[in-house]
Amino acid sequence: MCKDFDLRRTKRLLRVLNWRTSSRSGPSTNCGEVAVDVRTIAVRDSKNPDG
């Protein structure tokens, strides 16, 4: 594991990002969400945003 990796800091960052539904998501309930920050591009499953 990278010594600079800080899971608590990463989780805090993911909570405050401005998430939006990906334009590649379909009309069903299976949606991907994306968020962009200065140094981060994050992707998550909208059904499981914490996992």
Side-chain angles (χ1 to χ4, degrees):
M1 182 183 302
C2 177
K3 71 177 187 176
D4 294 331
F5 183 76
D6 182 350
L7 186 57
R8 288 179 304 230
R9 186 176 70 192
T10 301
K11 286 183 176 185
R12 282 193 305 265
L13 172 64
L14 293 176
R15 278 195 302 271
V16 300
L17 287 174
N18 185 22
W19 291 95
R20 65 178 183 85
T21 301
S22 170
S23 61
R24 296 288 184 174
S25 292
S28 68
T29 58
N30 298 323
C31 296
E33 295 178 323
V34 295
V36 178
D37 192 23
V38 176
R39 297 184 305 167
T40 306
I41 298 173
V43 180
R44 70 180 182 186
D45 181 347
S46 63
K47 293 182 309 264
N48 188 11
D50 295 325

